[in-house]
mmCIF file of all heavy atoms in Angstrom:
data_model
loop_
_atom_site.group_PDB
_atom_site.id
_atom_site.type_symbol
_atom_site.label_atom_id
_atom_site.label_comp_id
_atom_site.label_asym_id
_atom_site.label_seq_id
_atom_site.Cartn_x
_atom_site.Cartn_y
_atom_site.Cartn_z
ATOM 1 N N GLY A 427 120.683 121.279 104.439
ATOM 2 C CA GLY A 427 119.991 122.569 104.288
ATOM 3 C C GLY A 427 118.641 122.397 103.711
ATOM 4 O O GLY A 427 117.657 123.041 104.117
ATOM 5 N N VAL A 428 118.526 121.435 102.712
ATOM 6 C CA VAL A 428 117.264 121.257 102.099
ATOM 7 C C VAL A 428 116.226 120.784 103.089
ATOM 8 O O VAL A 428 115.104 121.295 103.189
ATOM 9 C CB VAL A 428 117.425 120.199 100.937
ATOM 10 C CG1 VAL A 428 116.006 119.843 100.365
ATOM 11 C CG2 VAL A 428 118.229 120.852 99.828
ATOM 12 N N HIS A 429 116.637 119.738 103.869
ATOM 13 C CA HIS A 429 115.690 119.181 104.916
ATOM 14 C C HIS A 429 115.391 120.233 105.934
ATOM 15 O O HIS A 429 114.227 120.312 106.373
ATOM 16 C CB HIS A 429 116.404 117.976 105.598
ATOM 17 C CG HIS A 429 116.365 116.720 104.748
ATOM 18 N ND1 HIS A 429 115.196 116.129 104.293
ATOM 19 C CD2 HIS A 429 117.396 115.956 104.302
ATOM 20 C CE1 HIS A 429 115.526 115.069 103.637
ATOM 21 N NE2 HIS A 429 116.798 114.932 103.599
ATOM 22 N N SER A 430 116.319 121.064 106.366
ATOM 23 C CA SER A 430 116.056 122.026 107.372
ATOM 24 C C SER A 430 114.977 123.034 106.969
ATOM 25 O O SER A 430 114.046 123.347 107.683
ATOM 26 C CB SER A 430 117.313 122.780 107.827
ATOM 27 O OG SER A 430 118.365 121.890 108.291
ATOM 28 N N VAL A 431 115.161 123.586 105.767
ATOM 29 C CA VAL A 431 114.215 124.573 105.216
ATOM 30 C C VAL A 431 112.903 123.884 104.994
ATOM 31 O O VAL A 431 111.771 124.507 105.392
ATOM 32 C CB VAL A 431 114.735 125.237 103.961
ATOM 33 C CG1 VAL A 431 113.709 126.140 103.348
ATOM 34 C CG2 VAL A 431 116.030 125.975 104.228
ATOM 35 N N ALA A 432 112.854 122.702 104.395
ATOM 36 C CA ALA A 432 111.588 122.145 104.094
ATOM 37 C C ALA A 432 110.837 121.661 105.402
ATOM 38 O O ALA A 432 109.551 121.714 105.396
ATOM 39 C CB ALA A 432 111.810 120.850 103.233
ATOM 40 N N TYR A 433 111.569 121.251 106.379
ATOM 41 C CA TYR A 433 110.882 120.940 107.628
ATOM 42 C C TYR A 433 110.292 122.167 108.306
ATOM 43 O O TYR A 433 109.134 122.027 108.800
ATOM 44 C CB TYR A 433 111.922 120.284 108.620
ATOM 45 C CG TYR A 433 111.377 120.049 109.986
ATOM 46 C CD1 TYR A 433 110.530 118.995 110.252
ATOM 47 C CD2 TYR A 433 111.769 120.894 111.005
ATOM 48 C CE1 TYR A 433 110.049 118.870 111.559
ATOM 49 C CE2 TYR A 433 111.334 120.732 112.295
ATOM 50 C CZ TYR A 433 110.442 119.718 112.555
ATOM 51 O OH TYR A 433 109.967 119.499 113.813
ATOM 52 N N ALA A 434 111.016 123.238 108.374
ATOM 53 C CA ALA A 434 110.503 124.416 109.048
ATOM 54 C C ALA A 434 109.345 125.115 108.264
ATOM 55 O O ALA A 434 108.454 125.585 108.828
ATOM 56 C CB ALA A 434 111.646 125.438 109.271
ATOM 57 N N PHE A 435 109.574 125.159 106.906
ATOM 58 C CA PHE A 435 108.582 125.836 106.006
ATOM 59 C C PHE A 435 108.185 124.945 104.908
ATOM 60 O O PHE A 435 108.697 125.025 103.808
ATOM 61 C CB PHE A 435 109.220 127.170 105.515
ATOM 62 C CG PHE A 435 109.750 128.033 106.650
ATOM 63 C CD1 PHE A 435 111.093 128.253 106.827
ATOM 64 C CD2 PHE A 435 108.910 128.612 107.609
ATOM 65 C CE1 PHE A 435 111.642 129.024 107.813
ATOM 66 C CE2 PHE A 435 109.398 129.368 108.563
ATOM 67 C CZ PHE A 435 110.745 129.572 108.730
ATOM 68 N N PRO A 436 107.240 124.043 105.127
ATOM 69 C CA PRO A 436 106.947 123.007 104.108
ATOM 70 C C PRO A 436 106.303 123.516 102.892
ATOM 71 O O PRO A 436 106.163 122.788 101.919
ATOM 72 C CB PRO A 436 105.970 122.077 104.875
ATOM 73 C CG PRO A 436 105.409 122.975 106.008
ATOM 74 C CD PRO A 436 106.513 123.837 106.351
ATOM 75 N N LYS A 437 105.893 124.817 102.798
ATOM 76 C CA LYS A 437 105.246 125.298 101.596
ATOM 77 C C LYS A 437 106.238 126.160 100.740
ATOM 78 O O LYS A 437 105.846 126.583 99.619
ATOM 79 C CB LYS A 437 104.053 126.262 101.976
ATOM 80 C CG LYS A 437 102.910 125.467 102.641
ATOM 81 C CD LYS A 437 101.770 126.416 102.954
ATOM 82 C CE LYS A 437 100.627 125.673 103.610
ATOM 83 N NZ LYS A 437 99.505 126.554 103.996
ATOM 84 N N VAL A 438 107.445 126.417 101.226
ATOM 85 C CA VAL A 438 108.425 127.123 100.450
ATOM 86 C C VAL A 438 109.037 126.221 99.350
ATOM 87 O O VAL A 438 109.415 125.043 99.591
ATOM 88 C CB VAL A 438 109.612 127.592 101.351
ATOM 89 C CG1 VAL A 438 110.722 128.243 100.547
ATOM 90 C CG2 VAL A 438 109.065 128.718 102.344
ATOM 91 N N ARG A 439 109.010 126.765 98.120
ATOM 92 C CA ARG A 439 109.608 126.024 96.994
ATOM 93 C C ARG A 439 111.105 126.179 97.019
ATOM 94 O O ARG A 439 111.608 127.341 97.058
ATOM 95 C CB ARG A 439 109.019 126.518 95.667
ATOM 96 C CG ARG A 439 109.626 125.980 94.441
ATOM 97 C CD ARG A 439 109.347 124.529 94.184
ATOM 98 N NE ARG A 439 107.968 124.340 93.795
ATOM 99 C CZ ARG A 439 107.458 123.168 93.330
ATOM 100 N NH1 ARG A 439 108.297 122.103 93.183
ATOM 101 N NH2 ARG A 439 106.179 123.101 93.051
ATOM 102 N N ILE A 440 111.851 125.086 96.988
ATOM 103 C CA ILE A 440 113.335 125.106 97.009
ATOM 104 C C ILE A 440 113.855 124.676 95.608
ATOM 105 O O ILE A 440 113.485 123.608 95.130
ATOM 106 C CB ILE A 440 113.844 124.144 98.106
ATOM 107 C CG1 ILE A 440 113.227 124.469 99.463
ATOM 108 C CG2 ILE A 440 115.407 124.186 98.130
ATOM 109 C CD1 ILE A 440 113.482 123.428 100.507
ATOM 110 N N ILE A 441 114.619 125.563 95.048
ATOM 111 C CA ILE A 441 115.128 125.342 93.639
ATOM 112 C C ILE A 441 116.618 125.493 93.619
ATOM 113 O O ILE A 441 117.181 126.560 94.048
ATOM 114 C CB ILE A 441 114.460 126.344 92.731
ATOM 115 C CG1 ILE A 441 112.877 126.169 92.838
ATOM 116 C CG2 ILE A 441 114.818 125.997 91.269
ATOM 117 C CD1 ILE A 441 112.109 127.214 92.067
ATOM 118 N N THR A 442 117.325 124.528 93.053
ATOM 119 C CA THR A 442 118.804 124.604 92.987
ATOM 120 C C THR A 442 119.315 123.870 91.755
ATOM 121 O O THR A 442 118.519 123.157 91.083
ATOM 122 C CB THR A 442 119.382 123.981 94.252
ATOM 123 O OG1 THR A 442 120.849 124.082 94.184
ATOM 124 C CG2 THR A 442 119.085 122.536 94.389
ATOM 125 N N THR A 443 120.634 124.108 91.453
ATOM 126 C CA THR A 443 121.173 123.346 90.287
ATOM 127 C C THR A 443 121.801 122.040 90.680
ATOM 128 O O THR A 443 122.062 121.180 89.819
ATOM 129 C CB THR A 443 122.270 124.217 89.599
ATOM 130 O OG1 THR A 443 123.375 124.400 90.499
ATOM 131 C CG2 THR A 443 121.724 125.633 89.237
ATOM 132 N N ALA A 444 122.109 121.879 92.014
ATOM 133 C CA ALA A 444 122.689 120.620 92.451
ATOM 134 C C ALA A 444 122.559 120.493 93.950
ATOM 135 O O ALA A 444 122.497 121.496 94.619
ATOM 136 C CB ALA A 444 124.161 120.512 92.052
ATOM 137 N N VAL A 445 122.479 119.259 94.458
ATOM 138 C CA VAL A 445 122.439 119.015 95.903
ATOM 139 C C VAL A 445 123.596 117.985 96.222
ATOM 140 O O VAL A 445 123.685 116.886 95.628
ATOM 141 C CB VAL A 445 121.084 118.348 96.267
ATOM 142 C CG1 VAL A 445 121.079 118.011 97.772
ATOM 143 C CG2 VAL A 445 119.951 119.327 96.026
ATOM 144 N N ASP A 446 124.481 118.433 97.124
ATOM 145 C CA ASP A 446 125.552 117.548 97.580
ATOM 146 C C ASP A 446 125.102 116.889 98.856
ATOM 147 O O ASP A 446 124.387 117.485 99.717
ATOM 148 C CB ASP A 446 126.771 118.368 97.843
ATOM 149 C CG ASP A 446 127.480 118.772 96.566
ATOM 150 O OD1 ASP A 446 126.957 118.374 95.464
ATOM 151 O OD2 ASP A 446 128.518 119.475 96.574
ATOM 152 N N LYS A 447 125.538 115.634 99.113
ATOM 153 C CA LYS A 447 125.054 114.867 100.204
ATOM 154 C C LYS A 447 125.700 115.248 101.538
ATOM 155 O O LYS A 447 124.988 115.215 102.610
ATOM 156 C CB LYS A 447 125.331 113.403 99.947
ATOM 157 C CG LYS A 447 124.344 112.841 98.966
ATOM 158 C CD LYS A 447 124.538 111.274 98.802
ATOM 159 C CE LYS A 447 123.475 110.674 97.882
ATOM 160 N NZ LYS A 447 122.103 110.823 98.458
ATOM 161 N N LYS A 448 126.944 115.599 101.545
ATOM 162 C CA LYS A 448 127.691 115.637 102.894
ATOM 163 C C LYS A 448 128.004 117.112 103.269
ATOM 164 O O LYS A 448 128.114 118.030 102.431
ATOM 165 C CB LYS A 448 128.997 114.861 102.752
ATOM 166 C CG LYS A 448 128.857 113.406 102.578
ATOM 167 C CD LYS A 448 130.155 112.666 102.537
ATOM 168 C CE LYS A 448 129.948 111.170 102.388
ATOM 169 N NZ LYS A 448 131.252 110.465 102.356
ATOM 170 N N VAL A 449 128.166 117.279 104.586
ATOM 171 C CA VAL A 449 128.642 118.542 105.165
ATOM 172 C C VAL A 449 129.728 118.098 106.220
ATOM 173 O O VAL A 449 129.457 117.163 106.972
ATOM 174 C CB VAL A 449 127.498 119.235 105.942
ATOM 175 C CG1 VAL A 449 128.015 120.425 106.633
ATOM 176 C CG2 VAL A 449 126.446 119.721 104.881
ATOM 177 N N ASN A 450 130.855 118.735 106.175
ATOM 178 C CA ASN A 450 131.957 118.359 107.084
ATOM 179 C C ASN A 450 131.753 118.924 108.462
ATOM 180 O O ASN A 450 130.736 119.589 108.751
ATOM 181 C CB ASN A 450 133.306 118.658 106.451
ATOM 182 C CG ASN A 450 133.528 120.243 106.357
ATOM 183 O OD1 ASN A 450 132.778 121.012 106.947
ATOM 184 N ND2 ASN A 450 134.560 120.646 105.676
ATOM 185 N N ASP A 451 132.766 118.728 109.370
ATOM 186 C CA ASP A 451 132.624 119.141 110.736
ATOM 187 C C ASP A 451 132.566 120.663 110.843
ATOM 188 O O ASP A 451 132.061 121.152 111.893
ATOM 189 C CB ASP A 451 133.825 118.635 111.572
ATOM 190 C CG ASP A 451 133.791 117.120 111.663
ATOM 191 O OD1 ASP A 451 132.718 116.550 111.538
ATOM 192 O OD2 ASP A 451 134.837 116.532 111.921
ATOM 193 N N GLU A 452 133.036 121.358 109.851
ATOM 194 C CA GLU A 452 132.946 122.828 109.883
ATOM 195 C C GLU A 452 131.702 123.305 109.117
ATOM 196 O O GLU A 452 131.567 124.482 108.832
ATOM 197 C CB GLU A 452 134.211 123.482 109.251
ATOM 198 C CG GLU A 452 135.434 123.127 110.071
ATOM 199 C CD GLU A 452 136.712 123.725 109.447
ATOM 200 O OE1 GLU A 452 136.601 124.015 108.215
ATOM 201 O OE2 GLU A 452 137.699 123.908 110.166
ATOM 202 N N PHE A 453 130.800 122.382 108.749
ATOM 203 C CA PHE A 453 129.628 122.653 108.043
ATOM 204 C C PHE A 453 129.858 123.215 106.640
ATOM 205 O O PHE A 453 129.012 124.009 106.165
ATOM 206 C CB PHE A 453 128.636 123.556 108.882
ATOM 207 C CG PHE A 453 128.326 122.933 110.199
ATOM 208 C CD1 PHE A 453 128.914 123.411 111.391
ATOM 209 C CD2 PHE A 453 127.468 121.834 110.321
ATOM 210 C CE1 PHE A 453 128.690 122.819 112.546
ATOM 211 C CE2 PHE A 453 127.209 121.290 111.522
ATOM 212 C CZ PHE A 453 127.785 121.738 112.674
ATOM 213 N N HIS A 454 130.938 122.833 106.002
ATOM 214 C CA HIS A 454 131.213 123.171 104.628
ATOM 215 C C HIS A 454 130.619 122.018 103.729
ATOM 216 O O HIS A 454 130.732 120.865 104.095
ATOM 217 C CB HIS A 454 132.650 123.338 104.363
ATOM 218 C CG HIS A 454 133.289 124.399 105.099
ATOM 219 N ND1 HIS A 454 134.660 124.611 105.087
ATOM 220 C CD2 HIS A 454 132.765 125.404 105.892
ATOM 221 C CE1 HIS A 454 134.915 125.746 105.861
ATOM 222 N NE2 HIS A 454 133.794 126.153 106.312
ATOM 223 N N ILE A 455 129.990 122.381 102.656
ATOM 224 C CA ILE A 455 129.400 121.415 101.714
ATOM 225 C C ILE A 455 130.565 120.570 101.129
ATOM 226 O O ILE A 455 131.595 121.150 100.658
ATOM 227 C CB ILE A 455 128.568 122.076 100.640
ATOM 228 C CG1 ILE A 455 127.444 122.863 101.255
ATOM 229 C CG2 ILE A 455 128.043 121.025 99.639
ATOM 230 C CD1 ILE A 455 126.635 123.604 100.205
ATOM 231 N N ILE A 456 130.341 119.257 101.053
ATOM 232 C CA ILE A 456 131.371 118.326 100.433
ATOM 233 C C ILE A 456 130.672 117.621 99.270
ATOM 234 O O ILE A 456 129.634 116.990 99.448
ATOM 235 C CB ILE A 456 131.903 117.386 101.503
ATOM 236 C CG1 ILE A 456 132.480 118.035 102.678
ATOM 237 C CG2 ILE A 456 132.908 116.393 100.836
ATOM 238 C CD1 ILE A 456 133.727 118.979 102.269
ATOM 239 N N PRO A 457 131.222 117.686 98.038
ATOM 240 C CA PRO A 457 132.535 118.251 97.635
ATOM 241 C C PRO A 457 132.532 119.781 97.589
ATOM 242 O O PRO A 457 133.534 120.456 97.691
ATOM 243 C CB PRO A 457 132.803 117.639 96.239
ATOM 244 C CG PRO A 457 131.461 117.329 95.700
ATOM 245 C CD PRO A 457 130.687 116.886 96.912
ATOM 246 N N GLY A 458 131.298 120.376 97.434
ATOM 247 C CA GLY A 458 131.165 121.859 97.585
ATOM 248 C C GLY A 458 131.750 122.666 96.459
ATOM 249 O O GLY A 458 132.121 122.148 95.401
ATOM 250 N N ILE A 459 131.850 123.958 96.719
ATOM 251 C CA ILE A 459 132.255 124.924 95.772
ATOM 252 C C ILE A 459 133.224 125.941 96.314
ATOM 253 O O ILE A 459 133.746 126.784 95.631
ATOM 254 C CB ILE A 459 130.986 125.670 95.226
ATOM 255 C CG1 ILE A 459 131.176 126.280 93.892
ATOM 256 C CG2 ILE A 459 130.503 126.689 96.249
ATOM 257 C CD1 ILE A 459 130.003 126.914 93.259
ATOM 258 N N GLY A 460 133.493 125.830 97.589
ATOM 259 C CA GLY A 460 134.350 126.833 98.264
ATOM 260 C C GLY A 460 133.605 128.017 98.774
ATOM 261 O O GLY A 460 132.358 128.043 98.721
ATOM 262 N N ASN A 461 134.285 129.026 99.188
ATOM 263 C CA ASN A 461 133.635 130.208 99.589
ATOM 264 C C ASN A 461 133.243 131.079 98.344
ATOM 265 O O ASN A 461 134.036 131.759 97.720
ATOM 266 C CB ASN A 461 134.513 131.107 100.466
ATOM 267 C CG ASN A 461 133.757 132.220 101.133
ATOM 268 O OD1 ASN A 461 133.072 133.042 100.523
ATOM 269 N ND2 ASN A 461 133.870 132.391 102.456
ATOM 270 N N PHE A 462 131.952 130.982 97.968
ATOM 271 C CA PHE A 462 131.461 131.607 96.718
ATOM 272 C C PHE A 462 131.794 133.092 96.710
ATOM 273 O O PHE A 462 132.260 133.622 95.677
ATOM 274 C CB PHE A 462 129.957 131.308 96.569
ATOM 275 C CG PHE A 462 129.460 131.804 95.203
ATOM 276 C CD1 PHE A 462 129.484 130.892 94.144
ATOM 277 C CD2 PHE A 462 129.023 133.079 95.057
ATOM 278 C CE1 PHE A 462 128.984 131.377 92.876
ATOM 279 C CE2 PHE A 462 128.556 133.548 93.839
ATOM 280 C CZ PHE A 462 128.551 132.647 92.746
ATOM 281 N N GLY A 463 131.422 133.742 97.831
ATOM 282 C CA GLY A 463 131.648 135.180 97.820
ATOM 283 C C GLY A 463 133.048 135.639 97.590
ATOM 284 O O GLY A 463 133.348 136.563 96.825
ATOM 285 N N ASP A 464 133.986 134.938 98.263
ATOM 286 C CA ASP A 464 135.397 135.275 98.083
ATOM 287 C C ASP A 464 135.866 134.990 96.668
ATOM 288 O O ASP A 464 136.688 135.734 96.119
ATOM 289 C CB ASP A 464 136.234 134.536 99.139
ATOM 290 C CG ASP A 464 136.050 135.085 100.519
ATOM 291 O OD1 ASP A 464 135.828 136.305 100.659
ATOM 292 O OD2 ASP A 464 136.068 134.340 101.470
ATOM 293 N N ARG A 465 135.468 133.889 96.121
ATOM 294 C CA ARG A 465 135.944 133.497 94.775
ATOM 295 C C ARG A 465 135.296 134.429 93.733
ATOM 296 O O ARG A 465 135.953 134.811 92.753
ATOM 297 C CB ARG A 465 135.508 132.023 94.499
ATOM 298 C CG ARG A 465 136.175 131.028 95.342
ATOM 299 C CD ARG A 465 135.883 129.617 94.919
ATOM 300 N NE ARG A 465 136.541 129.344 93.651
ATOM 301 C CZ ARG A 465 136.283 128.158 92.964
ATOM 302 N NH1 ARG A 465 135.570 127.251 93.444
ATOM 303 N NH2 ARG A 465 136.921 127.975 91.808
ATOM 304 N N TYR A 466 134.085 134.855 93.954
ATOM 305 C CA TYR A 466 133.445 135.766 93.019
ATOM 306 C C TYR A 466 133.955 137.220 93.106
ATOM 307 O O TYR A 466 134.181 137.837 92.058
ATOM 308 C CB TYR A 466 131.891 135.766 93.261
ATOM 309 C CG TYR A 466 131.091 136.400 92.208
ATOM 310 C CD1 TYR A 466 130.522 135.649 91.210
ATOM 311 C CD2 TYR A 466 130.863 137.763 92.171
ATOM 312 C CE1 TYR A 466 129.656 136.202 90.207
ATOM 313 C CE2 TYR A 466 130.133 138.389 91.195
ATOM 314 C CZ TYR A 466 129.527 137.563 90.156
ATOM 315 O OH TYR A 466 128.766 138.173 89.219
ATOM 316 N N PHE A 467 134.130 137.694 94.294
ATOM 317 C CA PHE A 467 134.528 139.085 94.493
ATOM 318 C C PHE A 467 136.050 139.225 94.594
ATOM 319 O O PHE A 467 136.551 140.349 94.715
ATOM 320 C CB PHE A 467 133.881 139.666 95.748
ATOM 321 C CG PHE A 467 132.363 139.848 95.638
ATOM 322 C CD1 PHE A 467 131.539 139.067 96.424
ATOM 323 C CD2 PHE A 467 131.819 140.741 94.777
ATOM 324 C CE1 PHE A 467 130.149 139.139 96.302
ATOM 325 C CE2 PHE A 467 130.437 140.865 94.681
ATOM 326 C CZ PHE A 467 129.603 140.070 95.398
ATOM 327 N N GLY A 468 136.761 138.156 94.697
ATOM 328 C CA GLY A 468 138.207 138.223 94.736
ATOM 329 C C GLY A 468 138.768 138.662 96.101
ATOM 330 O O GLY A 468 139.743 139.314 96.182
ATOM 331 N N THR A 469 138.054 138.301 97.139
ATOM 332 C CA THR A 469 138.460 138.609 98.498
ATOM 333 C C THR A 469 138.926 137.369 99.249
ATOM 334 O O THR A 469 138.570 136.220 98.843
ATOM 335 C CB THR A 469 137.366 139.259 99.234
ATOM 336 O OG1 THR A 469 136.151 138.404 99.241
ATOM 337 C CG2 THR A 469 136.927 140.594 98.669
ATOM 338 N N ASP A 470 139.642 137.550 100.290
ATOM 339 C CA ASP A 470 140.130 136.408 101.071
ATOM 340 C C ASP A 470 139.441 136.439 102.392
ATOM 341 O O ASP A 470 139.348 137.404 103.070
ATOM 342 C CB ASP A 470 141.627 136.465 101.339
ATOM 343 C CG ASP A 470 142.398 136.311 100.066
ATOM 344 O OD1 ASP A 470 141.954 135.484 99.192
ATOM 345 O OD2 ASP A 470 143.453 136.971 99.897
ATOM 346 N N ALA A 471 138.866 135.318 102.797
ATOM 347 C CA ALA A 471 138.119 135.188 104.056
ATOM 348 C C ALA A 471 139.028 134.670 105.127
ATOM 349 O O ALA A 471 139.911 133.809 104.921
ATOM 350 C CB ALA A 471 136.912 134.192 103.884
#
Side-chain angles (χ1 to χ4, degrees):
V428 172
H429 283 302
S430 298
V431 175
Y433 170 76
F435 307 112
K437 295 182 181 179
V438 170
R439 171 72 70 171
I440 304 169
I441 307 171
T442 183
T443 67
V445 176
D446 287 357
K447 286 186 173 296
K448 295 182 180 180
V449 174
N450 65 13
D451 293 338
E452 295 178 340
F453 302 104
H454 297 173
I455 299 177
I456 302 299
I459 199 173
N461 190 309
F462 186 92
D464 288 326
R465 296 185 69 186
Y466 192 97
F467 294 110
T469 55
D470 294 324

